[in-house]
Every structure is written in C-alpha cells, then in structure tokens.
Amino acid sequence: MTSNNYQRYGELFQVDSDHFEEFYALLQDTKLLKSDFFLKQGEKCKYLGFIKKGTIRSFYINDQGREINFGFYFENEFFTDYESILCDTVSNMNIQALENCEILLLSKDHLQDLYKKKRTGSSSEE
C-alpha cells in the first residue's frame, strides 16, 4: 500500500522514497461532509490539509455580512490558513467543504517538526 501511496503522492508532497513512509505515517486520513468546516473565523488553524477527493472553499464574511470567496481547492491540492498555522494567530477566514471530501491532515506540531528536520538535515533514522 505504501508504494501505491508513494506513486500517487510522492511527487506532490516532494518527499523522496527513502523518507516517504516516515512522512506518510504522520498524516491523518479523514473526511469532511458537504458544508462541514475545516476552520472557522476566530479559530486557530491546527492542520495543513491535502484533498484526496472533493472541493473546498475559503471565504470571509465582510462588514455587510456577505460571504466573500477567495480560494477554491480541488483534488491533489493543499489548503490551510498559512498565516494562522505558521504565526499561531486566530484565523480571519473560513474553510468549508463544498462537497463530501476525503482529506489528509498534517498537524501543526508535525509540520513544525518537519521544518526543524529539514533545517538541521536530520531524520529519525539517524
């Protein structure tokens, strides 16, 4: 199964075959139903998401109470509120499923660990 996942996602995730299993084990496979929220305005973003199947939108609510769409994400695309997840701030946006979705989630903690490993050049095998 891992080799199938590597063939499907290795290039998209920019992870070489030697480190793919370690990386893929960090991902949480989950589903969002149509209209479910991945993130609501005022919350802190805790995950980087990747869409295996489905469509997701990002939007904010303006001063007049209207929803303003500014991003649409499709199969094989990443999505998150990068400012919120990287700067540990509350989000100014909503991220919502437009249809039933299958997604992979990478937690903020695992994302930060990967950044640290990349900077230091270490891996769990060392």
Side-chain angles (χ1 to χ4, degrees):
M1 185 63 137
T2 301
S3 64
N4 288 340
N5 287 329
Y6 178 73
Q7 289 174 356
R8 184 168 181 192
Y9 302 119
E11 189 174 323
L12 287 168
F13 294 166
Q14 297 182 5
V15 177
D16 63 43
S17 59
D18 293 338
H19 298 95
F20 186 80
E21 283 189 53
E22 177 185 0
F23 171 78
Y24 201 81
L26 301 175
L27 301 176
Q28 177 185 342
D29 209 342
T30 191
K31 296 180 183 201
L32 289 176
L33 299 177
K34 181 180 180 176
S35 301
D36 280 355
F37 283 87
F38 169 78
L39 179 69
K40 289 185 179 179
Q41 202 167 336
E43 296 176 344
K44 285 187 179 181
C45 189
K46 298 177 184 170
Y47 296 95
L48 171 65
F50 178 82
I51 302 172
K52 291 170 57 176
K53 182 180 178 184
T55 306
I56 290 176
R57 72 172 176 146
S58 56
F59 68 97
Y60 67 94
I61 299 173
N62 71 9
D63 294 337
Q64 292 77 38
R66 293 187 57 201
E67 293 181 358
I68 308 297
N69 293 309
F70 63 88
F72 292 91
Y73 307 95
F74 305 96
E75 191 172 313
N76 293 330
E77 289 185 339
F78 290 95
F79 66 96
T80 194
D81 179 342
Y82 289 99
E83 182 178 350
S84 176
I85 198 169
L86 295 175
C87 299
D88 198 35
T89 58
V90 296
S91 181
N92 294 318
M93 70 171 78
N94 300 285
I95 301 176
Q96 183 182 39
L98 291 177
E99 60 185 335
N100 292 344
C101 296
E102 295 176 16
I103 60 176
L104 295 172
L105 299 176
L106 180 64
S107 74
K108 177 181 178 174
D109 291 339
H110 287 139
L111 180 62
Q112 289 176 335
D113 289 345
L114 291 171
Y115 283 143
K116 288 176 191 171
K117 283 183 183 181
K118 181 137 177 100
R119 274 198 304 266
T120 62
S122 67
S123 74
S124 65
E125 297 171 0
E126 294 178 355

